[in-house]
Amino acid sequence: MATRNFTEAAVEAMEALDLRYSERSDGSSTTAAAGDDASGELPAGVSLQAKCPEDMARFLALTELVRDVTERMPLVRAPEWLPDTVKACVAGAEQHPLLSGYYHILETATATCRAAVAARAGGPDAGDQMAVDDPLDEARVILGSYLSHIAARARRYPDIELKVSCVRCALLGVPEMLAPMEASGLVVEGFHLASLHPPVATAALAALERWNSLSAATLWPSLPRVVRALTDSLGLDKAYTGDAAQLRGLRFLGSIGGECHLAVASDGLEDGAAAGASAAELFEPRETSIDLPLGEGEPYRRVGVSLERLTPEVARLAVH
């Protein structure tokens, strides 16, 4: 119960704070209580001015404290704090949609929920004492319905810090908690953001790898736009620097193996041919095999190996 008592106290403290703000632009400010604007828009060139800077500082400190503590808690304790914390943060984000602190907590909550559900099902993150608990399912349902709203908000916000917070949080819902079209748009948005905030590329790559592992069939129709965004963001079509993100991107390209044909761009095709046609319809996959010579000398024994199956392994070797 210690975790629940801590998160309950932290949430109660946040709810008691004055989190109203004004929108400031060109040296002038217009007072508006946070939440009065249902759309939660933040126009370009407009910043937020806290009505009570001391309370806003306390809020930011509390959100980081909640993240630090909950990230370190055993998964077996997740059902104790996760549902109520998710409900409170969703309510807070609805009332104060322009405060990124709520999205930071929801990001940690989503990651914990994913790991706890995997543990309950005996997945790779399973703990020794993980038990079935209905509150965990409740948190998953709430997050699943709310992450799409966060993804939509990310597209509207020009403020980079706020946009990054929303994108990082929503990416954790790929693929199970978002529709395929939403997921692909979000992954592409993540790669585009990486030019302004490079760490987002790691979150986008993790989502892409998870999607390919858990539901590859729903990813394939989106491969052309996703791979183009990945390639442009990581500079895979330019100078190879060998940094961690590029290596991870190459591993992903190797992992899709025989589905690489889906990532072929439609450049150079007649508009009529490309319109309404997916890459899968324009490029029919063919399995290609190569003969590998075995033995110490002539006559070699030659064994046919599928190039599509060999490609992922070659890519893994190439980056080590």
Side-chain angles (χ1 to χ4, degrees):
M1 296 294 292
T3 311
R4 182 175 182 178
N5 291 339
F6 166 77
T7 54
E8 282 182 344
V11 167
E12 288 176 2
M14 285 188 283
E15 290 173 344
L17 298 174
D18 182 356
L19 300 179
R20 292 176 299 166
Y21 49 74
S22 301
E23 294 180 357
R24 182 177 295 276
S25 177
D26 299 328
S28 63
S29 64
T30 302
T31 302
D36 285 353
D37 181 1
S39 67
E41 297 287 355
L42 182 63
V46 175
S47 59
L48 299 182
Q49 178 68 39
K51 295 294 291 179
C52 182
E54 295 82 4
D55 275 3
M56 191 64 73
R58 294 185 184 101
F59 170 73
L60 296 175
L62 279 169
T63 56
E64 292 307 308
L65 181 61
V66 170
R67 289 187 71 185
D68 289 343
V69 171
T70 53
E71 282 176 352
R72 290 165 171 77
M73 293 304 298
L75 293 180
V76 69
R77 308 295 294 274
E80 298 176 8
W81 65 270
L82 198 56
D84 290 340
T85 303
V86 167
K87 291 176 187 176
C89 286
V90 167
E94 285 298 292
Q95 186 178 4
H96 310 287
L98 302 182
L99 299 185
S100 60
Y102 288 113
Y103 306 120
H104 292 168
I105 298 178
L106 287 171
E107 178 185 349
T108 299
T110 306
T112 301
C113 187
R114 292 188 63 89
V117 169
R120 188 180 65 180
D125 298 322
D128 295 333
Q129 300 177 342
M130 194 64 197
V132 175
D133 202 313
D134 288 338
L136 198 59
D137 292 327
E138 182 183 11
R140 181 176 57 178
V141 170
I142 295 173
L143 287 168
S145 63
Y146 197 64
L147 289 182
S148 61
H149 294 291
I150 296 178
R153 286 177 181 173
R155 291 189 290 271
R156 299 202 308 263
Y157 295 152
D159 180 76
I160 297 303
E161 195 275 336
L162 188 57
K163 183 185 288 286
V164 166
S165 298
C166 291
V167 168
R168 286 179 58 91
C169 179
L171 279 171
L172 285 167
V174 178
E176 311 99 307
M177 300 180 188
L178 295 171
M181 286 299 294
E182 285 182 315
S184 64
L186 189 62
V187 170
V188 170
E189 179 74 18
F191 284 125
H192 289 167
L193 267 180
S195 62
L196 301 173
H197 189 76
V200 183
T202 301
L205 280 167
L208 196 53
E209 292 164 351
R210 191 168 57 245
W211 192 356
N212 189 43
S213 173
L214 298 177
S215 185
T218 63
L219 167 62
W220 294 337
S222 301
L223 274 179
R225 65 187 300 228
V226 167
V227 169
R228 282 196 292 272
L230 180 154
T231 302
D232 293 342
S233 174
L234 302 182
L236 296 180
D237 56 342
K238 299 175 183 176
Y240 176 69
T241 63
D243 65 24
Q246 279 193 329
L247 294 178
R248 196 168 177 179
L250 287 173
R251 288 193 185 100
F252 171 75
L253 293 179
S255 72
I256 61 179
E259 304 304 327
C260 284
H261 66 282
L262 294 177
V264 176
S266 58
D267 296 342
L269 292 174
E270 295 294 332
D271 291 341
S278 68
E281 296 168 328
L282 295 173
F283 302 95
E284 184 175 349
R286 293 183 301 172
E287 183 166 305
T288 305
S289 64
I290 58 174
D291 291 334
L292 293 182
L294 300 179
E296 298 180 355
E298 292 287 357
Y300 292 109
R301 177 187 175 193
R302 298 184 178 275
V303 177
V305 178
S306 168
L307 186 59
E308 282 73 14
R309 297 180 183 180
L310 189 62
T311 300
E313 308 306 325
V314 172
R316 291 190 185 97
L317 289 173
V319 297
H320 287 292

